Every structure is written in structure tokens, then in C-alpha cells.
Amino acid sequence: MEKGYALVTGASQGLGRAFAIGLAERGFGIVAVARTTAKLAETVAECGKLNGARATAIEADLVAPDAVEKLVQQIEATDLPITVLVNNAGEAIWGRFADKPLDDHLRMMRLNMSVPIELTHRLLPRLRKAPKAYVLNVGSMAGYNAFATLGTYSGSKSFIVRWSRSLRMELSGTGIQVCCVCPGSVTTGFTERAGMQVMDDLAKRFGHPPKPVAEAALNALFAGKAEVVPGFFNKVTVLVLGLLPEAIVERVASSIYLKKLGG
Ligand SMILES: NC(=O)c1ccc[n+]([C@@H]2O[C@H](COP(=O)([O-])OP(=O)(O)OC[C@H]3O[C@@H](n4cnc5c(N)ncnc54)[C@H](OP(=O)(O)O)[C@@H]3O)[C@@H](O)[C@H]2O)c1
């Protein structure tokens, strides 16, 4: 039987493209959403080779007013059977809170938090039509601790982790599985976009390529897990940090990041 479609936000590159390819390999049709036409076309071409050309792109700047509503209207107009939603599009702002423009904080909060909320809320009726459906939310290890220089970002990812777990409880028994993936460093365009190139030495040493991270997340999603931290070293780090006093973890992590920022 033909599988339904997976809608993946931020599918033009990085983790989002890896999710789209992993889902196409599993036989799902793909709706790839992002802003960059040429890169979306590459994702669609790669996915199409894997799933019998069941891949399409929708260009959208998701932080624009009405963008999510229009996206869902396009899905409804084509009546695509969406059975997987991957809330992946996200960005970070790096620097001291007061030094970054308020508009940047607010835009990031919309992309990282409000867009997943709105998209999930609007697509739930469609997901409920399938006997089995899936929501994968992309959090971050940064969501487990507070630290200086990435406060709004880590706060937005804490929100995603908590909201994802709550939604999972509410949807338990409905046939809709909800999972949150909390990656550590992944070698994508993410640090460059955030202006965090000074962290690239750490990213090169500890970062994972997108493919295995996406695979770990999709395996956890389809196995019915609530949350997954891809990578053995990252799993151990989360475990150990969870055992230490929060204030110490915050102070050590903040001093590393502030030093990198040059403050
Ligand atoms: N990389 C890491 O170290 C890391 C670690 C933990 C968690 N994460 C999370 O993983 C997710 C994916 O990040 P990534 O590492 O793959 O970063 P990335 O390479 O920068 O990709 C971000 C994706 O989001 C899309 N996007 C950004 N703004 C958008 C907007 N306004 N409307 C629509 N799409 C938009 C981008 O596409 P366009 O520019 O074409 O629109 C791109 O496809 C994010 O939620 C991030 O927080 C990343």
C-alpha cells in the first residue's frame, strides 16, 4: 500500500533535507517546505529518485504573517494525505541578549515555537484521518540547560521539548505518535547562519553529519519513543549533566560560550 506524505519544514538543506531523504527512503511522499527555490528543487529531485517521484516543494517564508495558514490551504487544495509532520525549520541567535535586535529575537521565537504550534494545530485534523500518523519535533540539547549567549534559542528549544511531551500525552491512544529529537552539534549551515563560526572548531570535533542524526530521529519516531538524543557521546553528556547541580553546569557552559564571544 502507498504510504502517505511527510511534510518537512526547513527541507532545503541540513537536517531537514536529511529527514526528507530518510522519509522518502521509507516510501513516504514528500512535501518539502522552505524559502530557497533552487535548494528545495535539489531536495525534491533526490527524494523523487527514492520514492517514485512523489515529492513536491512549497516555497514559504514561515515567519511571514499568514504563511502557515496559506501553506495548509495549499495542502488542502491538493488534498495530499499528510501522515508525517516534521517541525524542523529553526534558527539561532548568538550573542548577548541586549546586543541583538529585538526583532531578531521575536522572529526566531516565531520560527522555532509559534510555527510548529500553528502548523501542528492546523494539520492535526488531517493527521487524524490516517490510521497512523507521526509528528517529529526538532528540539536541541541546548534545550536541556540555560546558558549565556544563546538564551532565547535555548529557551525556545526547552519549550519544544516540554510541549512535545505534553502533546504526546494528549494524543496517546489516537494513533498519532509524537517524538522530539534533541541533537547536539550537527554539521549544517546552522552555525554560519547564527554567526557562530567561532564555534566551528568545537562543531568539527563533536559535530555529527545530518544523515545519522536524522536516521536516529526517524527510527525513534517510528519506534514510538518520546524523545531521542542522537549519538552515544551526546546521550552520556545529557545523562551526566543531569546529575550535576544546575548552577555549576550553567556557569561552566556560559563561561565557554562567553569566552568564544569574546566577553
Ligand atoms: N545544526 C545544529 O547543530 C543543530 C543542533 C540542534 C538542533 N538543531 C535544529 O535543527 C533544525 C534544523 O537546523 P539545521 O542545522 O539543519 O540548520 P540549517 O542548515 O540552517 O537549516 C535550516 C532550515 O530552515 C529553513 N528556514 C529558515 N528560516 C526559514 C523561514 N523563515 N521559513 C522557512 N524555512 C526556513 C532553511 O531554509 P531556507 O533558508 O531555504 O528557508 C533551512 O532549510 C533547527 O530547528 C535547529 O534548531 C540544529
Side-chain angles (χ1 to χ4, degrees), residues 10 12-13 15 35-36 61-62 88 153 157 184 186 188-189 193:
S12 61
Q13 63 173 62
L15 263 179
R35 294 167 300 184
T36 315
D61 178 355
L62 291 169
N88 164 75
Y153 177 72
K157 292 301 182 180
V186 190
T188 64
R193 278 182 200 246

Side-chain angles (χ1 to χ4, degrees), residues 116-167:
I117 292 286
E118 188 182 343
L119 192 52
T120 306
H121 198 275
R122 289 187 186 279
L123 280 180
L124 266 180
R126 189 155 282 268
L127 293 170
R128 282 186 206 276
K129 285 185 189 169
K132 272 191 162 194
Y134 303 88
V135 178
L136 178 62
N137 295 313
V138 180
S140 169
M141 271 172 70
Y144 291 143
N145 296 100
F147 47 93
T149 75
L150 274 171
T152 317
Y153 177 72
S154 82
S156 73
K157 292 301 182 180
S158 297
F159 171 87
I160 288 297
V161 174
R162 291 292 133 206
W163 165 68
S164 191
R165 295 190 75 99
S166 308
L167 185 66

